[in-house]
Amino acid sequence: MRLTIVLILVIIANSCRKELQQIDVYTPAVFLTEAQQTALQTWQGEQPLAKHSLSSWQFALGSLPEQFLAVATDFPEQDSLINLPHRINYPNRSIWYKTRILLDTTQLLVVDADDGAQVFFQGEQVRQALPNAFSLRSTSDSALLIIRVLNNALKGGLRKAELFPLAEGLTYFGRKDYTAPGIFHSPLHNLTQRMLLAEPYIQQQTPEKYLLKVVSTSSEPASLVYGLQEQTLDNLLSEDAPIGRMFNFILQDLLPATTYYYQFRQGDFQSEVYTLQTPQKKENFSFTAWGDSQGGWPVFRELTASMRATASDFSIGLGDLVADGAQHTQWLDFLYALHPVAESQPVFPVIGNHDYDGQYDDLRPVLYQQYIREDTYFSWVYKNCYFIALDPNESFPLGISGKQLRWLEAQLASPEWLAADWRFLLIHQPPYSQGWSDYHGDAFIRDLVEEKAATAKIDFVLSGHSHCYERLSKKFDNQTTHFLIMGGAGGGLEPPLSSEYPLMDTIIKAHHYGLFEVAGSKIKLRIIGLNNQILDDLTFTK
C-alpha cells in the first residue's frame, strides 16, 4: 500500500512538472537570410543627412614625448591646412586637427579616425555619447573644435567628421549596434521571450576549476545543471545576481579525462545540452592558437569547427578578436563564431588594438572586460609550459611599462617560469613582421624581447596583427627564440606585396590557425588552413 502511494505521488509530480521551452540563440547578421538581413536594415532605417561634412582642417603632429592624457591647449604650434580624408605614417603619435564651427542646435559629431579620437569643443573635452560619436551643444558664435587622433600602427589620421541632427543621429547610429542593452533587436526573435546572446563559453582558472560564461537577454535568476550523462544532469549551480546580462558559473572538483554534460536554464526556458571534456592526466597535450578573427565570422566559424575536431586541451586567441571593440554586436558575433571550440574547452583570448576601438576617452576596454575577462594581461601554467599574455595597448604610446612591466619581470623570475620546459610570450603586436607592407614589427616589443630573450629563456613569441602567417627563429646567445605570427583567423588577408625587411623564414598569406602538440622536449606545430589544408609542418626540439 505504501509503495503504491509513493508511485502515485511520483507520477503526479512528473505530470505536473512544467515542460521547459528551448531557448532561442542569437545569430549574427552575416549568417541571416537575405530577407532577414533586409528586415534588420529596415528597422535600422536610412542614415540621416549630415548637416555639415567638415572637410577643411588645420593639422599638426603631436609633440614629443607623447602621452595619453591631453587638453585643448596642447594643440601644437606648427600646423598646416589639409582636407579629409587625411592619413600619415606616424605610428605611436597623436595627430591633431582643429577648425571653427557655429552650431544653431545641439548636434552629433560622428568621427571616423584611425585608431581612435579624443574631441575638445569650446576648450573642454567631450565624452562619447555613442562609440565614436560626440554630442556638441549649440553656440552663439563660432567655436573651436579639436580632434586629437591617437595612431598606433603605420598610417593613421582623420578620415571623416560629420555633424548630424542629435535625435536622428543617436537613433540611427545607436541602432547600428543592435544588440546593445536597451536597444536589442533581432529579426529572428520574439522580443517577449528571452534569448541566449552568447551560448556557454569556457575559461579555465586552474586545472580543476572552470569559469563558464553565458549571456542572456534576461537578468532573471538562472542555473546551470551538469552531470556525467546527458539524461542525468543532477548537479545544480545557481546565479541570482548576474552582472547585467552576463552569468558566470564556476565548475570545480571535476574528474580528469571525463566528459561532462551541461545545460543553461532560466525561467521556463532551457538551452541545448553541451559537453565539456576535462584533460587527461598524461603529460602530452595540445592546444590551438589564432589571431585577428576581426569581423571575418564565416571564415572564423569554419576554423573553430576545425579546431574543435582536434580535441585540444585549450585554445589561445592572439588579439584583434573583433573589428570594433566598442560594439556589443561585434563581441556577440565573435562569441557565436567561437562557440564550436569554446563550449568544450577553455579559451584564453589575448587583447589587441582593435579590441580597444571606441575606448579612447579613458583607454578602458570595457566590453572586452565585460564579455571576455577583466584582466588584460595574465599568465597560466599548463603541465610543462608557462604562458604570459601581455597588453601593450593599455597605454599610449604603446608599450609595456609601469605596473605591467613590474608584473612581467616578477613572472619571468618566478620559480614556475624557471622550471617550465617551454616558455611562451603572447602579445598581439609582433616584434618582427614582413608580410604587412611597410610594417616591420613594433620596436617597443622588439626591444623588450631582445633584452630578455636570453636571460629569461623565452622559447616562443606568439602574435597576430599582421593578417598572415609568418615564422622566424633567432638566436640570442645560447637561447633560440621562435617568433610566430598567426593573424589569419578571419580578417582580410595582407596584399601580396611584403616589406623588404626583416627577412622572415616563412610568410604564407592564407587564413589559418596553429595546432601545437607538446610532448616533453618536443613541440610539433602544424599550420592548418581552410578545408584542413596543412600550410606548414615542423617540429621544435630542445
Side-chain angles (χ1 to χ4, degrees):
M1 181 68 177
R2 182 180 298 171
L3 179 60
T4 302
I5 292 173
V6 170
L7 288 173
I8 292 172
L9 290 174
V10 169
I11 292 170
I12 292 173
N14 286 337
S15 64
C16 293
R17 184 178 299 162
K18 192 168 187 178
E19 187 73 22
L20 296 181
Q21 301 177 58
Q22 194 75 11
I23 195 167
D24 289 341
V25 176
Y26 165 76
T27 303
V30 69
F31 295 104
L32 299 178
T33 66
E34 185 175 342
Q36 291 163 346
Q37 291 179 5
T38 299
L40 178 60
Q41 292 163 2
T42 300
W43 172 80
Q44 289 174 325
E46 295 283 339
Q47 178 173 315
L49 292 175
K51 289 177 72 73
H52 301 285
S53 183
L54 306 174
S55 57
S56 298
W57 297 78
Q58 288 175 273
F59 143 78
L61 195 61
S63 303
L64 296 174
E66 290 280 14
Q67 58 185 6
F68 173 68
L69 296 176
V71 295
T73 54
D74 290 336
F75 195 101
E77 293 183 5
Q78 300 296 322
D79 61 63
S80 56
L81 294 176
I82 59 93
N83 289 315
L84 301 186
H86 179 253
R87 299 179 77 229
I88 54 175
N89 193 351
Y90 277 93
N92 263 343
R93 294 292 294 274
S94 63
I95 307 169
W96 293 73
Y97 302 86
K98 70 179 179 181
T99 190
R100 299 193 72 87
I101 58 174
L102 174 62
L103 302 182
D104 54 355
T105 59
T106 300
Q107 297 178 32
L108 189 70
L109 172 69
V110 178
V111 173
D112 181 1
D114 190 5
D115 287 272
Q118 297 169 342
V119 170
F120 304 88
F121 188 54
Q122 295 182 308
E124 300 293 333
Q125 184 170 358
V126 181
R127 299 287 174 173
Q128 296 182 113
L130 294 171
N132 306 308
F134 306 80
S135 176
L136 305 184
R137 61 183 180 272
S138 61
T139 61
S140 58
D141 200 353
S142 66
L144 185 64
L145 172 64
I146 294 175
I147 299 178
R148 181 185 185 230
V149 175
L150 305 181
N151 179 37
N152 290 331
L154 292 186
K155 287 186 176 181
L158 186 58
R159 293 189 179 94
K160 186 185 293 186
E162 294 181 306
L163 291 165
F164 292 88
L166 182 65
E168 295 174 50
L170 287 173
T171 298
Y172 174 78
F173 291 103
R175 287 186 173 187
K176 299 297 284 185
D177 190 12
Y178 58 91
T179 62
I183 297 176
F184 177 75
H185 177 84
S186 170
L188 292 179
H189 183 54
N190 180 347
L191 298 181
T192 63
Q193 297 182 356
R194 70 202 64 209
M195 171 185 273
L196 283 189
L197 292 173
E199 294 181 273
Y201 53 106
I202 299 169
Q203 293 181 347
Q204 189 175 24
Q205 296 181 309
T206 68
E208 298 82 24
K209 186 177 180 181
Y210 294 79
L211 171 63
L212 193 148
K213 302 166 86 71
V214 185
V215 188
S216 172
T217 55
S218 171
S219 58
E220 180 182 344
S223 61
L224 188 84
V225 292
Y226 66 100
L228 297 177
Q229 296 180 352
E230 186 172 357
Q231 304 304 322
T232 311
L233 305 177
D234 48 9
N235 298 288
L236 174 69
L237 296 172
S238 296
E239 173 65 279
D240 299 325
I243 303 172
R245 306 180 295 179
M246 178 72 65
F247 292 83
N248 295 304
F249 302 95
I250 294 179
L251 284 72
Q252 52 191 347
D253 302 323
L254 302 183
L255 300 172
T258 302
T259 299
Y260 285 87
Y261 299 88
Y262 66 93
Q263 184 181 58
F264 177 79
R265 294 177 181 174
Q266 189 177 42
D268 298 333
F269 296 86
Q270 64 182 9
S271 72
E272 66 176 86
V273 176
Y274 307 101
T275 59
L276 162 63
Q277 178 66 47
T278 58
Q280 300 185 21
K281 284 188 173 180
K282 66 180 183 179
E283 288 305 305
N284 294 357
F285 72 97
S286 65
F287 66 92
T288 57
W290 44 271
D292 299 83
S293 39
Q294 201 173 339
W297 308 131
V299 169
F300 187 47
R301 180 86 174 190
E302 180 178 339
L303 292 177
T304 57
S306 175
M307 291 181 220
R308 180 182 177 121
T310 67
S312 298
D313 291 54
F314 58 88
S315 188
I316 297 172
L318 294 166
D320 280 5
L321 312 171
V322 297
D324 185 346
Q327 299 281 338
H328 291 268
T329 303
Q330 284 275 312
W331 289 105
L332 297 176
D333 290 357
F334 165 70
L335 292 172
Y336 177 92
L338 182 68
H339 181 71
V341 67
E343 75 155 279
S344 60
Q345 61 185 251
V347 180
F348 298 91
V350 178
I351 197 166
N353 56 293
H354 281 293
D355 305 322
Y356 272 89
D357 281 356
Q359 314 288 344
Y360 283 84
D361 282 346
D362 52 15
L363 271 185
R364 287 187 60 244
V366 175
L367 298 190
Y368 172 90
Q369 292 176 318
Q370 176 180 330
Y371 290 111
I372 307 301
R373 57 186 302 146
E374 291 185 8
D375 48 348
T376 62
Y377 53 91
F378 51 93
S379 66
W380 75 98
V381 180
Y382 197 85
K383 299 188 179 179
N384 66 336
C385 296
Y386 199 108
F387 300 86
I388 296 176
L390 297 175
D391 176 19
N393 302 284
E394 71 163 6
S395 61
F396 181 83
L398 299 178
I400 307 296
S401 59
K403 179 182 177 182
Q404 185 175 181
L405 181 58
R406 293 190 295 273
W407 174 86
L408 171 62
E409 290 173 340
Q411 298 294 310
L412 298 179
S414 67
E416 293 82 4
W417 174 270
L418 297 174
D421 291 334
W422 296 98
R423 304 171 186 90
F424 291 80
L425 207 59
L426 317 173
I427 185 167
H428 176 64
Q429 285 92 341
Y432 308 98
S433 177
Q434 187 183 4
W436 181 356
S437 181
D438 294 327
Y439 178 64
H440 313 292
D442 272 76
F444 72 89
I445 187 62
R446 184 162 58 246
D447 293 343
L448 178 68
V449 171
E450 290 180 352
E451 174 192 344
K452 298 186 180 296
T455 56
K457 301 186 183 304
I458 299 171
D459 297 303
F460 288 92
V461 179
L462 308 186
S463 301
H465 206 44
S466 296
H467 291 191
C468 56
Y469 167 66
E470 301 186 48
R471 171 168 53 82
L472 173 67
S473 296
K474 283 177 68 73
K475 197 87 169 175
F476 299 92
D477 295 335
N478 294 322
Q479 173 67 30
T480 300
T481 303
H482 308 287
F483 299 90
L484 301 172
I485 297 175
M486 288 174 282
L493 297 171
E494 301 298 344
L497 182 65
S498 296
S499 297
E500 293 184 2
Y501 67 92
L503 294 177
M504 305 296 281
D505 296 336
T506 297
I507 304 173
I508 299 174
K509 298 185 178 182
H511 290 113
H512 67 277
Y513 68 92
L515 173 62
F516 294 77
E517 297 173 300
V518 183
S521 61
K522 290 186 178 181
I523 293 182
K524 179 178 177 63
L525 170 65
R526 280 179 288 167
I527 301 300
I528 301 174
L530 297 176
N531 301 313
N532 291 315
Q533 180 184 6
I534 304 300
L535 304 178
D536 199 12
D537 189 341
L538 67 159
T539 299
F540 304 96
T541 305
K542 280 203 167 185

